[in-house]
Amino acid sequence: MSAEGAPGLYEALATIAAAARAAYADGSNLRVRSSGIVHAVVMTRWLGGERMPGPACMVGVSGWDPGAAHPDRGAVTCRRCLKLTTQEPVDEQLELFAVADPEPGPGD
């Protein structure tokens, strides 16, 4: 194949990134290599400005090697990801400002 027939660098990066995004499109979480830790997924910037799925906690993934991470249907076990993606329940609504008690009316 001649150099003219080879895809351009940005086209190749776009193809790799699109395949990675498609692999996580079903809501899968992410595991790095054979690690036992499952991460939540967020889209991160990759080479050439492409968006790639990455761990929400931003832990390093072997130099952004797209083959280092793979989809995992297991529950998120990374403590940092859980802390970033879980919101504490609110017990009660907080007041924006104090409301004065209404003055009693004539019949009160």
Side-chain angles (χ1 to χ4, degrees), residues 66-92:
H70 55 275
D72 191 293
R73 297 297 295 165
V76 173
T77 58
C78 171
R79 287 187 197 172
R80 289 176 64 190
C81 287
L82 288 170
K83 191 174 187 178
L84 291 169
T85 58
T86 305
Q87 295 181 1
E88 294 295 321
V90 177
D91 291 334
E92 62 183 56

Side-chain angles (χ1 to χ4, degrees), residues 9-78:
L9 175 61
Y10 291 108
E11 291 169 337
L13 292 174
T15 300
I16 293 168
R21 289 190 302 268
Y24 293 89
D26 66 353
S28 291
N29 293 314
L30 179 147
R31 186 183 302 263
V32 179
R33 297 199 192 283
S34 61
S35 169
I37 299 171
V38 178
H39 299 273
V41 176
V42 296
M43 289 299 143
T44 60
R45 284 207 192 280
W46 189 54
L47 302 171
E50 290 295 328
R51 306 293 276 171
M52 289 282 282
C57 65
M58 299 299 173
V59 68
V61 181
S62 187
W64 293 99
D65 173 8
H70 55 275
D72 191 293
R73 297 297 295 165
V76 173
T77 58
C78 171

